[in-house]
Amino acid sequence: MAAHILLIHCPDRPGLIAAVTGVLFQHQLNIISNGEFVERTHNHFFMRTEFSGAVDLVHLEKDLREALPTDVIIRLSAQRNKEIVVLASKEHHCLADLLVRHYYGELGATIKAVISNHPLLEPLVKKFDIPFICLPHDGVDRNQHENSLAKHIDQFQPEFIVLAKYMRILSAGFVARYPNQIINIHHSFLPAFVGAKPYAQAYERGVKIIGATAHFVNDNLDEGPIIAQNVIPVNHTHNAKEMAQAGRNVEQIVLANALGLVFDERVFVHGNKTIIFD
Amino acid sequence: MAAHILLIHCPDRPGLIAAVTGVLFQHQLNIISNGEFVERTHNHFFMRTEFSGAVDLVHLEKDLREALPTDVIIRLSAQRNKEIVVLASKEHHCLADLLVRHYYGELGATIKAVISNHPLLEPLVKKFDIPFICLPHDGVDRNQHENSLAKHIDQFQPEFIVLAKYMRILSAGFVARYPNQIINIHHSFLPAFVGAKPYAQAYERGVKIIGATAHFVNDNLDEGPIIAQNVIPVNHTHNAKEMAQAGRNVEQIVLANALGLVFDERVFVHGNKTIIFD
Amino acid sequence: MAAHILLIHCPDRPGLIAAVTGVLFQHQLNIISNGEFVERTHNHFFMRTEFSGAVDLVHLEKDLREALPTDVIIRLSAQRNKEIVVLASKEHHCLADLLVRHYYGELGATIKAVISNHPLLEPLVKKFDIPFICLPHDGVDRNQHENSLAKHIDQFQPEFIVLAKYMRILSAGFVARYPNQIINIHHSFLPAFVGAKPYAQAYERGVKIIGATAHFVNDNLDEGPIIAQNVIPVNHTHNAKEMAQAGRNVEQIVLANALGLVFDERVFVHGNKTIIFD
Amino acid sequence: MAAHILLIHCPDRPGLIAAVTGVLFQHQLNIISNGEFVERTHNHFFMRTEFSGAVDLVHLEKDLREALPTDVIIRLSAQRNKEIVVLASKEHHCLADLLVRHYYGELGATIKAVISNHPLLEPLVKKFDIPFICLPHDGVDRNQHENSLAKHIDQFQPEFIVLAKYMRILSAGFVARYPNQIINIHHSFLPAFVGAKPYAQAYERGVKIIGATAHFVNDNLDEGPIIAQNVIPVNHTHNAKEMAQAGRNVEQIVLANALGLVFDERVFVHGNKTIIFD
């Protein structure tokens, strides 16, 4: 029997957990795992419940709404693969990792298409029988290019858009079309080295650790809610190119971890932060 | 208002969370944080709840027992400093760390005494105005030594006994007197390098990572439930002595982390494992 | 101009570095990087030098031999891709990682063939146009199977044989054919959990960290010289299967790192340990 | 016999290693360890050699100068404890760690005095019989305060000044008096969260990793050459205060590691970066 996931958030008040788990108990559902968190600055309550059992979702949602205050946001769904579109440019490492995981059914998502502003990665994508769409940006203005990009994306109705080293900046207008749906892997330990060429910056600054950050994209470049980060040590013998090389393994793993959390509905976005039940 | 901690475990069945949180809600108590876990091999349920509010503990415990099946183990208490005795031998690093944290009220415990089989660490302990008891083991048989040790420990009625690099093996009989009360820091990444001289073993084996393990002590040497572990990289340039030196920082931090978890009542012992709500 | 690599080892004595660098200077060669290490237990000297410049290797080697004591082992070669054969069984993650790195010229080696005891991974290997040889072991005795395996390997004359999750134990006789040429990725932090099913063992023991180890294979199972290790944290919520899943990223990266070091001639094997100039 | 350390740097050219090791060989000195590095951007050569043997330092230095080009910087000295002054404010964790290491002869330095702008840490310092000098800054202008600070420091003629959580900004003028002699521990993973309250900033940004940075102090706040960095994971359950708490262990260890490297003369400062032979 497939598991279901219940996500709830609302201003905190006493009795919320009792109310939710009481309704699940009445429906004879079995809680597999349960997480709660209260964000103290805004006193906001978050709860994620995985449960199994024969369930009438419409009836259950109705009973939950009746048992809970009216300002509670409820999201109730069966666990299933998400549908995504991947954007990439010229670097293959993150994309190849996603393609292999997808091929073996480990991604938690179906890749509907890969869209790139360069033709370079087409042979790789073709090996895995995924549609590859090339949208060069040369001689096209940003607006036009983004409109074309959006049109191609929208035909697949993806739940998430994954930027797997997509090296074009997306406008605020484009990003606003897909709120909390775009996930980027940034090749630095944000907020250090915001912007372009973070490895060159890291080399210039002489840091002893470099990292990668997976985050939702909002309208401020490199400033959306962070989902996952990781780091590796470097030293004075690494030049900027070698730092980039060393950083690729980290980028690949951080992106895969972040996607695993998002596709499994473990991530709440709250203001500019994430609440993660892992 | 001080927080209270409720620990519950029992065979898993539906409705447990609803029952517990329902009683807390009736008592108008506010849940600060809540954790649940079901161990799937034995289908055993664990729950830790921190709550605040004006509470009649006797009344609350009575209502919980009535609301819950009879095989549920309930532990209900106010959050407070634990009382401990520390055992050490000749190495100072873990002991000094505990003494400094204790001095600044960061340990979550009161050190009633330090007992050692050597006089070496007395000057350090005296600086921090903690009673130091020296029980040399030369010319004393193990039984006698342990009886004397137990007598000295028992006068302090400690809730936990911390082995901060105590280098004498404790007999099964001694350990059985203090079930799940003795916490040891072992200078290796258990179960690698069980037994004496783990750094010498690590050097011989040519490992590239060494570590430390904090665990409850049971009657099998180095085999009790693990609470915390951490590691650091080493390489061929480290000899056994340098590995030991590098390992000390890790030992110190792993022990401090483990004690923080235990003293904050975040650790359930279940068979030979720990369930930790952190 | 391509770089050259000079590897030297011998019993330690004064003047070795001066002698070697003196000869390189006479040949007007430019040292790019230089590493020396003296293993103190056996007082053995190791040196790795990367240099560039117009070089007559025969003449250079002759001059080095004349300048150095007769017991010095000298290995002098141009930097180049190694030729390897990869052995795998049913798990794809390490193999896929090698295939992608190979496809993009990042492996530092040419994969001459993939040999497996199962047909499962053939479609993946075929995508990357690498010969796939399936040698099932059902109904074949170990001796026969290994003879067949050796025959197939030997036709490619590989410099290294990479066990990318090859789940058959190799006999001492087989291993002896390829001294310091077989590299294995073991799915545990050796020497913890030697042998089969390390993740099941790790789960049983309740460890808080798991890891992976890349090592040369000698005749004692899981006991050859360690090249690289890495770890990740786990907790009580991970069952053995989830630990395995979490461990795969680590295995993949540890193997890739180890191969990078070996293929770049940065690894000396000395007894049961490695000396690594990274 | 005590070891000696030879540090050399100069524009790179062929033959440097041969020249240096040749002179050491003529003096019948035994190289214990040797490290070289060429920084490729400016083509600058660095070399650190530890050697033992009966040595006439004046004669050796003369021979080295004769064997080497005139632009070579040579620093030749016996390995010995450095003399330092520690500056602190109100936080005890880094200072306590230094005091304990010092007390047990593990610091590689003699603490001549602790100077603070607050009286709070005096009792701790007194336990270890180190002079404590309190220089309150209330009602004193920055210039006056720094002059007084410099006067007190200078009476000890320290080789290094360690800022162990000294929370006053030092002026460019003050810093210029002690070039490459002041070492600071900054409570963030620089260059993220430059400036005050980095943990508050980290909490606001919702990062998943925090860190600490030990660096030489130059006239730009938080911008001197980085010596060591390390990190730990955090998550949404940590508020700014808990992040600070979690960060203290890291700060303490990063500072101790950095000082170990500096006091052992393993660190070259080159522009705004460090070259470290560890």
Side-chain angles (χ1 to χ4, degrees), chain C residues 111-172:
Chain C
I111 302 178
K112 304 299 286 183
V114 174
I115 307 181
S116 178
N117 50 337
H118 288 283
L120 195 69
L121 296 172
E122 177 159 18
L124 176 70
V125 176
K126 287 293 177 207
K127 282 184 198 306
F128 292 93
D129 302 315
I130 306 287
F132 180 88
I133 299 162
C134 185
L135 298 178
H137 57 263
D138 312 299
V140 195
D141 77 16
R142 176 176 305 278
N143 242 344
Q144 276 182 295
H145 190 257
E146 287 193 346
N147 284 339
S148 164
L149 186 57
K151 215 182 57 187
H152 279 93
I153 288 171
D154 292 348
Q155 69 176 301
F156 299 106
Q157 300 282 346
E159 294 166 86
F160 296 100
I161 299 160
V162 177
L163 310 186
K165 307 289 290 177
Y166 182 70
M167 303 309 276
R168 297 272 295 171
I169 293 171
L170 298 168
S171 72

Side-chain angles (χ1 to χ4, degrees), chain D residues 8-67:
Chain D
I8 280 171
H9 71 101
C10 59
D12 189 34
R13 55 175 75 83
L16 291 166
I17 304 174
V20 173
T21 55
V23 171
L24 292 173
F25 182 53
Q26 285 158 25
H27 280 250
Q28 295 185 286
L29 297 166
N30 193 32
I31 293 178
I32 296 169
S33 81
N34 205 41
E36 310 94 13
F37 175 69
V38 179
E39 200 277 300
R40 292 292 164 199
T41 312
H42 310 90
N43 236 31
H44 204 79
F45 173 84
F46 300 87
M47 181 170 179
R48 177 189 186 276
T49 305
E50 245 181 87
F51 61 89
S52 61
V55 60
D56 173 346
L57 284 184
V58 176
H59 190 185
L60 175 61
E61 183 156 351
K62 186 173 153 287
D63 286 358
L64 283 166
R65 293 213 180 277
E66 271 169 26

Side-chain angles (χ1 to χ4, degrees), chain A residues 185-189 199 210-214 228-231 247 250-251 254:
Chain A
I185 179 72
H186 187 267
H187 43 319
S188 97
F189 179 70
Y199 291 119
I210 56 171
T213 303
Q229 301 189 292
N230 211 340
V231 296
V250 182
E251 295 171 15
V254 167

Side-chain angles (χ1 to χ4, degrees), chain C residues 175-189:
Chain C
V175 169
R177 298 173 64 114
Y178 308 101
N180 294 339
Q181 288 181 278
I182 308 178
I183 296 160
N184 183 42
I185 178 71
H186 187 267
H187 42 320
S188 97
F189 179 69

